[in-house]
Amino acid sequence: MENNIQPTDIYALAFHHRFQWEEAQNSYVILFPEGMVKLHGGAGEVIKRLDGKATVADVVADLKATFPDAQEIEKDIIGMFELAVSKAWLRKVN
Amino acid sequence: MTQASLGDSVVQKEVHAQQQNNGVAANITHTQPLWLLAEVTYRCPLHCAFCYNPTDYDKHTQNELSTEQWIQALRDARKMGAIQLGISGGEPLLRDDIEDIVIEAKKLGYYSNLITSGVGLTEKRIQAFKEGGLDHIQLSMHDITEEINNFITNTRTFELKKKVAAMIKNHGYPMVLNVVIHRYNIGHIKEILEMAEALGADYVELANTQYYGWSLVNRSQLMPLKEQIDEAERITNEFRQKVGNKMKIFFVVPDYFGNRPKKCMNGWGEVFMIVTANGDVLPCHSARVLPGIEFPNVREKGLEWAWKDSPAFNKYRGDDWMKEPCRSCPEKENDLGGCRCQAFLLSGDAESADPVCSLSPNHHLIEQAIEESKNPQIQAQPIIFRTDKNSKKYASGESNERVEAFHALP
């Protein structure tokens, strides 16, 4: 699915979804009616930064600064946005 | 309640999502009870002909766990990693402590779901649930017609359900509708989906009846034709295209008409744990039909022992227990040989391949059941409704009406 994630887009967690750290799984999860997904570290770091104000560009910049050694991080981040939007875990705010 | 509504879709979706390699972990932990289903009571004001609850449920209406015991169970399961909590029954709202259970669930970090017929849901209670932190409410609907709703549930609940749906929406809850599909409503799929859309449903589960408990007793009366199921699926797909992501529609395919058995509960003791009204701890809804297994009870050794160490939970983990043709089957990891309860109920051998599998030596039992459901004389037998009176008859052995052919009381 083409989602055309733009740097100026602002996303937030979809309504009725909850994002939380799960100690027993050692990972972040997204919970929603009838389901859940476990996110690996990188994906969790993306969702964690969605406060309803940060743009995609803000998230990319912040993650680049936090993980300066990560290769091709921008592509992974955009990929995560695309997946999360196509799965309806996120809603577009602006 | 429906069996399909309580976990299959959750687990399938999680596994499905896990297969994506884009931002989602590939390592699912197979040893944690991610889903805890609390069947807090078997009492129910409805008398649905397709209920999966045991036909002898009446034995467990007087020895329900106390509020304190439920709260302890919630705490213990959460420590082991449980995160999705289903509060079900029977009709859970017949207990007056659901508010306390909801508050504790929120405190512990569960994502909690009340699975209800809507009977007993008042403004006062829903407000308390919202304040207490209940995450969502799953409402069962039966048809677009008052006639079929009232017939299949053996109650007059049609208008009430519509009122409750509006109440759920007004309180800002996601609207999750569950509709069990059978012969009497399968011709109304389009209208049912239109009704769901009009009510503002966010999620709709069209759960084709699976045959356990009361629905097994009423199998010939409930089973639709293969052609009707195919048509229902076609209409559902069309509707999905139309509504897109706005309303998620799950169509749970009935295993009697599938090619392969379902991976029941995503594996025995893998992600799913049920605590029943009387405290029995089960790996699946109907496990008590299986012979020679003593299921643990929370009043005895607690949930951690039940999950990790009890012989019952370890009995069908992995695939060491499998017989041929499952053992050497290339599909065995996909379906784990299907459902142990279905295998035993229908064939008398819990370790044999699920008879719904076309490779099972007992597959003729399924073909025979499908043929029987088309027989006008058998069809015409009256439905046996899920009532305390009927349950008492099964529990006491006074009646074995329409259960003689099965190897355990469904």
Side-chain angles (χ1 to χ4, degrees), chain B residues 274-405:
Chain B
I274 298 176
V275 179
T276 66
N278 64 310
D280 286 347
V281 191
L282 308 177
C284 82
H285 309 74
S286 52
R288 283 179 293 202
V289 303
L290 296 169
I293 306 182
E294 198 183 326
F295 286 99
N297 190 289
V298 293
R299 297 181 216 250
E300 292 149 16
K301 288 189 183 169
L303 283 186
E304 189 169 352
W305 181 84
W307 181 262
K308 289 186 179 159
D309 302 319
S310 70
F313 271 78
N314 285 307
K315 180 129 181 158
Y316 296 121
R317 280 191 171 126
D319 56 15
D320 283 353
W321 54 270
M322 278 184 190
K323 291 182 178 172
E324 292 297 351
C326 297
R327 176 165 286 281
S328 59
C329 182
E331 308 242 356
K332 73 173 175 184
E333 296 305 319
N334 297 334
D335 55 42
L336 295 171
C339 171
R340 296 306 89 225
C341 304
Q342 190 150 270
F344 183 72
L345 279 166
L346 302 187
S347 80
D349 182 355
E351 272 105 60
S352 65
D354 187 331
V356 300
C357 181
S358 59
L359 303 170
S360 160
N362 297 311
H363 188 60
H364 64 279
L365 295 170
I366 298 296
E367 291 168 338
Q368 195 184 319
I370 292 172
E371 281 313 306
E372 274 175 18
S373 75
K374 296 180 195 165
N375 178 327
Q377 264 177 319
I378 298 176
Q379 278 184 4
Q381 291 172 354
I383 280 177
I384 299 177
F385 287 101
R386 178 209 195 273
T387 62
D388 294 353
K389 196 175 149 205
N390 286 335
S391 181
K392 280 187 175 75
K393 282 191 198 168
Y394 282 124
S396 67
E398 185 194 330
S399 171
N400 62 355
E401 198 183 348
R402 295 221 296 263
V403 297
E404 306 96 320

Side-chain angles (χ1 to χ4, degrees), chain B residues 221-279:
Chain B
Q221 287 71 36
L222 295 173
M223 194 184 297
L225 298 170
K226 170 88 167 69
E227 295 73 33
Q228 291 177 300
I229 291 166
D230 292 344
E231 176 65 3
E233 193 164 18
R234 188 190 65 75
I235 293 169
T236 304
N237 285 334
E238 230 174 65
F239 208 88
R240 269 198 197 113
Q241 297 250 314
K242 199 184 90 182
V243 294
N245 255 344
K246 189 179 78 179
M247 184 167 101
K248 289 193 180 174
I249 310 170
F250 305 107
F251 188 88
V252 184
V253 178
D255 57 0
Y256 273 52
F257 295 102
N259 293 322
R260 296 262 76 86
K262 58 182 179 280
K263 189 178 186 181
C264 203
M265 312 312 292
N266 205 41
W268 178 274
E270 290 291 309
V271 291
F272 209 92
M273 179 161 71
I274 298 176
V275 179
T276 66
N278 64 310

Side-chain angles (χ1 to χ4, degrees), chain B residues 156-195:
Chain B
R156 297 186 179 194
T157 47
F158 185 67
E159 287 303 322
L160 176 137
K161 280 178 179 286
K162 285 201 289 190
K163 268 186 220 148
V164 167
M167 204 193 286
I168 290 171
K169 197 79 188 167
N170 286 342
H171 282 266
Y173 275 112
M175 166 88 68
V176 184
L177 295 184
N178 181 284
V179 189
V180 177
I181 305 298
H182 42 72
R183 180 183 300 165
Y184 293 93
N185 64 5
I186 194 160
H188 306 156
I189 291 287
K190 184 161 176 274
E191 291 80 3
I192 288 170
L193 287 169
E194 283 166 355
M195 171 186 73

Side-chain angles (χ1 to χ4, degrees), chain A residues 20-63:
Chain A
Q20 71 187 37
W21 174 257
E22 275 298 288
E23 199 61 50
Q25 327 255 1
N26 195 31
S27 74
Y28 285 105
V29 296
I30 299 176
L31 296 157
F32 47 90
E34 304 297 295
M36 61 177 282
V37 279
K38 237 165 103 169
L39 303 170
H40 76 41
E45 291 296 328
V46 174
I47 305 288
K48 198 167 96 178
R49 285 166 169 74
L50 304 181
D51 57 1
K53 290 175 199 144
T55 62
V56 170
D58 293 339
V59 173
V60 170
D62 190 19
L63 281 166

Side-chain angles (χ1 to χ4, degrees), chain A residues 1 15-18 20-27 29-44 75-76 78-80 82-89, chain B residues 5 9-10 13-14 16-18 20 22-25 27-29 32 34 78-84 106 109-111 113 135-136 138 172-174 176 202-203 205 245 248:
Chain A
M1 197 191 291
F15 292 115
H16 315 304
H17 284 51
R18 199 206 287 169
Q20 71 187 37
W21 174 257
E22 275 298 288
E23 199 61 50
Q25 327 255 1
N26 195 31
S27 74
V29 296
I30 299 176
L31 296 157
F32 47 90
E34 304 297 295
M36 61 177 282
V37 279
K38 237 165 103 169
L39 303 170
H40 76 41
K75 206 175 128 220
D76 287 348
I78 300 300
M80 178 57 201
E82 281 172 354
L83 174 72
V85 169
S86 74
K87 294 275 180 192
W89 301 334
Chain B
S5 71
S9 62
V10 177
K13 256 180 292 165
E14 167 162 2
H16 177 72
Q18 300 277 348
Q20 303 270 345
N22 194 356
V24 181
N27 62 323
I28 179 166
T29 305
Q32 287 169 325
L34 296 177
R78 185 75 184 114
K79 264 186 232 152
M80 293 156 66
I83 183 163
Q84 282 273 4
K106 173 72 180 175
Y110 279 104
Y111 192 81
N113 174 19
D135 288 290
H136 75 112
Q138 180 185 303
Y173 275 112
V176 184
D202 301 284
Y203 300 81
E205 284 188 0
N245 255 344
K248 289 193 180 174

Side-chain angles (χ1 to χ4, degrees), chain B residues 36-85:
Chain B
L36 173 65
L37 180 68
E39 282 181 346
V40 293
T41 181
Y42 285 128
R43 292 172 289 138
C44 191
L46 271 64
H47 308 299
C48 300
F50 50 72
C51 183
Y52 80 80
N53 281 170
T55 52
D56 61 357
Y57 74 83
D58 189 67
K59 287 194 296 196
H60 301 303
T61 51
Q62 303 302 318
N63 57 356
E64 291 178 4
L65 295 182
S66 66
T67 311
E68 292 68 35
Q69 284 168 320
W70 276 115
I71 284 177
Q72 192 59 48
L74 257 52
R75 288 178 183 161
D76 293 346
R78 185 75 184 114
K79 264 186 232 152
M80 293 156 66
I83 183 163
Q84 282 273 4
L85 172 69

